[in-house]
Structures are given as structure tokens and as C-alpha cells.
Amino acid sequence: MTFPYSKEVLEHFRNPHNVGKMEDPDGKGLEGSAACGDMVAVYLKVNPDTLIIEDISFESYGCASNIATASIITELAKGKTLEDAKKITWKEAAEALGGLPAVKAHCSVLAVEGLRSAIRDYEEKHGMVVEDEPTDEEVIKRRLKHVMNPIKGLDIIRTELVMKIEVNEGNVRVVIDLPSHHQFAAAIKEDIIEKLEALWDVESVTVDFIS
Amino acid sequence: MFDKTVYLDNAASTRLDERVLEAMKPYFFDTYAVATSEFGYSMGIESKEGLERSRKVIASALGADANEIVFTSGSTESSNMAIKGVLSALKGKKDDHLIVSRLEDFDVLNTAKMLEKQGYKVDFIDVDSEGVLDLEMLKAAITPQTALVSIQYANQEIGTVQDIKAIADICKEKGVLLHTDATHSFTRLPLDVSQVSVDLVTVSAHTIHGPRGVGALYIREGTPINKWMDGGFQEFDLRAGIENIPGAVGFATAVELVTPEENEQLKAMRDRIIERVQSEISHVTLNGSATSRLPQNANLTFHYVEGESITLHLDMMGFAVSTGSACFSRSLEASHVILGIGGDHERAHGSLRFSFGRFNTMEDADAIIDALKEVVENLRAISPLSADD
């Protein structure tokens, strides 16, 4: 009998490493949404002199792929500098886990996003982001790469769900290639707004659907 | 490993009863002629007799005549035959209007969606928060152009039972044909077509410890229906193909083995799960009707945790159950049934279906509740979601 999951995935799923909420983290990131079925929170303790991740933990609402990837990501990141930890890829995590089913990519990629967003949070809080970048179409696209398209299991940019992006004096409009009554429309809209309204120079975010 | 599994996914498929296998065996090894050879040699006569005896058993369980039962390969084929067969027969006589409920199983739902793409007009009728069909909406949807209404008797996932008599009365009053998918209710709940004016009924052997790959369609005499699969002239020239006589015999035996006591036992296990889980685990929602549900079905959402994770942990502990979570299926879409009753995605993702069968015991029900308490607690401990959010 062969499970679609590797031995390593099942082991990390059964006994995940570095789990739990961290009190007073230096940086934290939350990716995904309950609506899409997967969510990961990553917490960091960072040595301010060496910028090495001294402690890391995660919380997960998700399937086996999600939990196992979050577990391995924390293992890979622990002891690394922020710069090195930023370079950890989903592919690296998947390899360390002996492979992940392709159909589960969207569930597991969130752990990598969670780590990067926790690092970004640390950098922003510690004045390491020197200058605020003005929001343009490229910035929006970058942010929207963190919004999942649950139909395909990859983000909404790569799956070409985003038909149009307009940025006009802080007012952002995103047009999505789905009918408004689609079962994932509301969840995707919520996720897009969450990802964009936090940008420093964004006044409003409008998400429109094709019909 | 599988010997130890407590299998609580009987809505998906059931273990064959050995008595069913014994009844089928002679039709594999001794009486294996096709029924159409009845005029040629005696083994064909015996085959034909086995088939017709089985047809009578299925008919009798529905209060029908034997010549109103067509054997098929299962629910999917039965429902396809009913819907496509009737719409095809009525083409040109009525407009192409079909009505189904939002919660139908895929045999009806995807058939309806496919017909919609082909140009048929399809209405998907809403249900309330327990999954009960809105009868007023049904009444309003039926027009002189409506060719067929297809409403399931009981839901495959949340177990809600429809008032099929009231639905049949509405259809009769409006002069519209009614098909019902009774896959999950057959022999578990009464359905007597001499009392309820339903015109077509889908049933299957695989849910009642019969063999997989055999089902039947009840077609009330006089119902306009075309065959939808061309070939030979078997099954009243409605279902082409060599008859699956061992399957039919197995199906009939499975029907005969169901007893009222067994159904009471299923109900007792169902109630035990619902009561104990609700009282012993926090933040749980019962999906479906509390009062009008299949005796063998319990469906509960465990909030703040994801269904596939629960099922995988349960599997490692020796329990097999099903979830409405998108992660469980390859489709990546959450259960249309939980969404159809107004539940959000989070409710669908954390839902588990427990479906009981003949080989389950009360100890199974108690054991899985104990396992669930541990699994849900552990997963909630690592979840970023909680009741405080």
C-alpha cells in the first residue's frame, strides 16, 4: 500500500517540529486563509547582532502537506541568517521531505511564504526596510503572488486569474477572471484586499469579477 | 492492516456480505449462460430465472412490478438513463427544462450540468440550512415546459432526508415526471412507489453490502423514456449489454438481508456519535437535519481544524472516514453540499462523514469518538485559528 505522501511527510505530519504560538516574537507572518483550507503562521526570534534566527515556530491549519512543509521549513531556517533564510525555496523544502504530491503544492507553498513574511515583518519593525517603494502594477503583482487560486493550486498571478490591475493615486482595482458567484470568489477577494490594503500608499482596494 | 480498520465510510462503498457472495457463486461457475439464450439451452433458462427472481425482489422492495425494474451498472448509470432517457423521449413535446436540487450527488448534478451546457434549461433548487428542499421554490420553478424533476430522497453526505411524498404530490399535481436518486436510502427508509407517485428511482447494491457495479432503475409503467446506450435488446430494450446476472442475484440477496433491526442498530450508532461528539468535544456543528436524516449517517464539522489532517490521523489509528475538505479530493473544491446548506469553506474543510454499515458495532462508534477527542485536541493545539479569534 502506497500513500500519496512520502515517509518523511508522514513523519513530520505525525510529529511536527517547532510547533506552537510564540510569545513576543521578533517577527511573525501569516499566510493563507481558512476559506481556502490552508493557513500557516510563522514566528521568529532573531539575534539582533548576528541576524541569525535563533528560534522559530509555526502554527498550521491545513492538511498533511501543509503541516509537514511548515515543520521542515522551520528546521531549515533555524540557525540561518535572515538573508540565507529568505533564499529557502519550496523546492528545497519539498526535496527535504522526499517529494510532495503536485496537487498539494498550494497547501505547502504557504509555509515558505509564511517564513518570508515573518522575515519581512522583522525587517520592517527593525528599520531594515529603508525606503517605502511606491505601489505600482509590479508591486501589486508581487503581492498577489501570495494569493492562492484554489482551483489550480498555485497563486492567482501564475494561473492568470488576474485580468487587469489598475493603480490610480492610491486606488487599486483588480479584475479577476471568475464569475462573482463562483465558490471561491469571496475568499479570493478577501485575500486580495488583505494583501493590498496594508501597503503604505494604498487608499482603497476594489476587486471586480468578470460577471 | 486492513483487518484492524474500523471502516466508517459505508456511504462510499460497503463490504460484501459473504452470504451475498455465496448466492452469486453459482452464477459464475455453474449457471453462466446469458439470459437471452433461454430459447436455446437449459442453462440459459436457469440464468434467465435467476435474473427474473432478482428483478422481483428489487421490485417488491419498492412496491413495484418486476417489469418496471431495469438492471444497470449502478447509480450513475441509473440516473443518467433516467434523466437523459426522459429528456430525449420528451424532446419536441415539452421544452427542455430540468429541475434538480443543489445537493444532488454527482450522478445527477454533473449530468444536469452537462445537459445545461448542451442547451437544456436547468434550475438548481435551493435547500435550507439543514439541507431540506424548499418546496415553494420547487412549485414556483415548475412550468408547462418542465420535462423532469430530479430530487434525491436522502443526501449522500449530510444524510438529510427529503419529504419525497410531498415532492411527488407537487410533481403529480403539476403533471411533471419525478426521478429520485434513492442510492443511500434504499432499504434503509421506506419508499413504496404504489403510495408515492415517483416515476423513476435510482438504486444500487454497493451501499447495502451487495456487489459493486450493479444497480437498478425503477421506471413506472408508461413513463416516456428512450434508451441512452445502443447495443442489444436486453432489459426491455432499454439497457443494452450482456446482463450482469451474478450482480443482479447479489443485489437481490443484499436487499433480502436488510432487516428493520439492522436499521435500528445503525440509527443507535449514528445517535451515539452525534450525542457524544457534541457533548464531549467543543466547537462542533452537526451538518444536516437533526430529525430527518438517514439512519446510517452522521456528519459533523470540527471547527478550527482541517478535515484531511483529521482523517489521516484517524487512519493511522485504524479508522476510515470521509471529509468534505477540498484537500481530501483531487478536485480542490470543498463539498458542494456543505456550501449548499449555507456553510462557509471553513465549515466544509473541517467536516467529517461517519457512515455506518452492518459490520460496525457500538464499540466502533465509541472507539472513534475517543480517537477524535485526541486528534482534534492535538490539531487545535497547533492551529492558528481558535474560538477566541
Side-chain angles (χ1 to χ4, degrees):
Chain A
M1 188 185 66
T2 316
F3 257 115
Y5 292 124
S6 69
K7 202 167 77 236
E8 292 85 351
V9 170
L10 290 175
E11 181 48 37
H12 276 274
F13 169 65
R14 285 169 85 132
N15 300 301
H17 306 178
N18 309 312
V19 286
K21 191 171 186 162
M22 191 184 283
E23 293 307 320
D24 298 324
D26 297 331
K28 65 177 177 182
L30 182 67
E31 291 290 328
S33 75
C36 288
D38 285 285
M39 209 170 170
V40 177
V42 176
Y43 304 91
L44 302 176
K45 282 274 182 208
V46 179
N47 183 316
D49 301 324
T50 59
L51 295 181
I52 283 174
I53 297 172
E54 290 189 332
D55 197 10
I56 180 166
S57 68
F58 78 95
E59 291 179 297
S60 161
Y61 165 85
C63 62
S65 270
N66 182 302
I67 293 172
T69 316
S71 173
I72 201 82
I73 281 287
T74 58
E75 286 293 294
L76 292 171
K78 201 186 256 185
K80 281 200 166 75
T81 62
L82 294 178
E83 280 310 311
D84 285 342
K86 272 188 216 171
K87 293 176 195 151
I88 298 169
T89 61
W90 176 79
K91 199 166 163 249
E92 220 176 317
E95 274 167 14
L97 286 170
L100 284 164
V103 74
K104 297 286 190 177
H106 77 289
C107 316
S108 52
V109 82
L110 289 176
V112 186
E113 306 294 356
L115 171 64
R116 288 181 187 164
S117 113
I119 294 172
R120 196 169 54 240
D121 181 53
Y122 177 88
E123 289 177 338
E124 281 171 5
K125 279 181 188 157
H126 292 79
M128 294 164 72
V129 180
V130 188
E131 205 171 278
D132 281 322
E133 186 183 11
T135 299
D136 59 14
E137 197 175 329
E138 280 315 302
V139 172
I140 302 282
K141 272 189 186 165
R142 219 157 52 222
R143 287 268 168 160
L144 293 185
K145 279 184 185 166
H146 298 265
V147 177
M148 282 294 135
N149 170 4
I151 307 159
K152 297 271 179 69
L154 288 168
D155 68 79
I156 60 173
I157 295 291
R158 270 183 291 182
T159 55
E160 296 176 352
L161 213 57
V162 179
M163 286 182 74
K164 193 190 277 184
I165 295 171
E166 289 170 358
V167 189
N168 184 15
E169 292 178 356
N171 300 306
V172 180
R173 179 171 175 258
V174 180
V175 182
I176 298 296
D177 188 11
L178 275 183
S180 56
H181 58 78
H182 189 276
Q183 71 154 298
F184 289 123
I188 289 172
K189 180 177 178 175
E190 197 182 314
D191 218 4
I192 291 172
I193 292 174
E194 196 192 304
K195 292 285 180 297
L196 300 183
E197 69 183 4
L199 289 165
W200 69 279
D201 56 348
V202 166
E203 297 283 325
S204 73
V205 181
T206 310
V207 180
D208 289 330
F209 295 90
I210 49 164
S211 60
Chain B
M1 174 176 182
F2 285 112
D3 289 346
K4 292 181 191 164
T5 299
V6 173
Y7 181 79
L8 292 173
D9 198 15
N10 289 278
S13 189
T14 48
R15 179 176 134 195
L16 192 80
D17 191 303
E18 282 185 23
R19 293 167 289 182
V20 169
L21 181 62
E22 286 308 313
M24 291 169 72
K25 269 185 188 169
Y27 291 90
F28 284 113
F29 299 109
D30 305 321
T31 313
Y32 44 81
V34 294
T36 41
S37 61
E38 63 174 321
F39 296 111
Y41 40 81
S42 53
M43 199 205 286
I45 298 171
E46 286 172 38
S47 289
K48 177 80 174 166
E49 281 173 357
L51 181 67
E52 295 313 320
R53 263 198 313 275
S54 304
R55 199 186 307 279
K56 275 186 194 159
V57 171
I58 309 295
S60 168
L62 286 166
D65 289 332
N67 62 3
E68 295 174 307
I69 300 297
V70 171
F71 283 109
T72 66
S73 63
S75 298
T76 301
E77 186 188 329
S78 294
S79 295
N80 269 270
M81 179 191 281
I83 297 169
K84 292 174 184 168
V86 167
L87 288 180
S88 155
L90 290 179
K91 205 168 178 65
K93 293 175 190 146
K94 287 204 178 202
D95 277 356
D96 305 328
H97 183 214
L98 169 69
I99 298 174
V100 302
S101 94
R102 271 199 195 287
L103 299 198
E104 295 298 321
D105 208 342
F106 293 123
D107 60 340
V108 170
L109 198 63
N110 286 344
T111 301
K113 285 181 181 172
M114 198 279 292
L115 289 167
E116 193 177 30
K117 277 186 194 159
Q118 288 183 353
Y120 286 87
K121 184 176 183 308
V122 183
D123 275 325
F124 298 88
I125 303 295
D126 281 329
V127 295
D128 68 13
S129 60
E130 292 193 340
V132 178
L133 189 85
D134 188 326
L135 296 182
E136 290 308 314
M137 210 175 268
L138 172 64
K139 265 186 210 167
I142 298 174
T143 71
Q145 285 75 43
T146 308
L148 181 70
V149 171
S150 179
I151 307 287
Q152 60 190 188
Y153 188 6
N155 185 261
Q156 65 284 353
E157 219 174 296
I158 56 170
T160 297
V161 177
Q162 304 297 342
D163 186 347
I164 198 71
K165 173 87 170 62
I167 292 167
D169 288 347
I170 290 170
C171 291
K172 192 172 185 185
E173 192 190 314
K174 300 261 188 182
V176 174
L177 294 169
L178 172 65
H179 163 249
T180 191
D181 177 1
T183 303
H184 296 275
S185 55
F186 185 47
T187 71
R188 300 296 181 206
L189 297 171
L191 178 60
D192 183 343
V193 295
S194 69
Q195 304 297 315
V196 179
S197 60
V198 57
D199 302 287
L200 304 117
V201 182
T202 286
V203 293
S204 177
H206 79 287
T207 56
I208 51 169
H209 307 287
R212 270 175 268 187
V214 60
L217 179 66
Y218 158 75
I219 308 169
R220 186 179 294 280
E221 200 173 349
T223 301
I225 186 164
N226 286 345
K227 66 197 297 185
W228 70 289
M229 192 165 77
D230 291 309
F233 302 99
Q234 295 89 347
E235 295 293 297
F236 314 109
D237 196 18
L238 277 172
R239 201 274 181 180
I242 298 281
E243 304 92 340
N244 176 5
I245 298 177
V249 169
F251 190 4
T253 310
V255 167
E256 288 175 318
L257 288 172
V258 175
T259 63
E261 294 73 31
E262 177 176 295
N263 288 337
E264 282 306 309
Q265 172 68 7
L266 295 176
K267 204 186 279 184
M269 291 187 281
R270 172 198 76 182
D271 291 344
R272 177 80 71 111
I273 285 241
I274 293 174
E275 282 159 24
R276 275 198 63 196
V277 164
Q278 286 188 310
S279 65
E280 295 175 35
I281 302 178
S282 63
H283 307 295
V284 170
T285 302
L286 174 68
N287 297 311
S289 171
T291 50
S292 183
R293 70 183 305 130
L294 283 170
Q296 73 271 31
N297 171 293
N299 189 311
L300 296 142
T301 292
F302 299 82
H303 294 277
Y304 318 122
V305 283
E306 202 276 331
E308 192 212 72
S309 283
I310 312 179
T311 60
L312 205 49
H313 272 295
L314 287 175
D315 178 74
M316 293 171 186
M317 296 164 92
F319 300 94
V321 297
S322 164
T323 167
S325 160
C327 268
F328 194 69
S329 67
R330 285 189 156 264
S331 73
L332 295 173
E333 293 198 8
S335 154
H336 72 279
V337 175
I338 305 283
L339 299 179
I341 59 172
D344 57 16
H345 284 74
E346 195 252 333
R347 182 166 161 195
H349 291 308
S351 68
L352 290 195
R353 178 184 69 185
F354 309 90
S355 49
F356 298 94
R358 176 173 302 146
F359 302 108
N360 293 124
T361 62
M362 199 57 93
E363 286 72 37
D364 294 343
D366 283 329
I368 198 167
I369 295 161
D370 293 337
L372 271 167
K373 284 158 77 171
E374 186 187 327
V375 169
V376 172
E377 189 185 332
N378 289 343
L379 287 171
R380 281 183 181 162
I382 68 164
S383 172
L385 299 170
S386 77
D388 305 328
D389 292 334

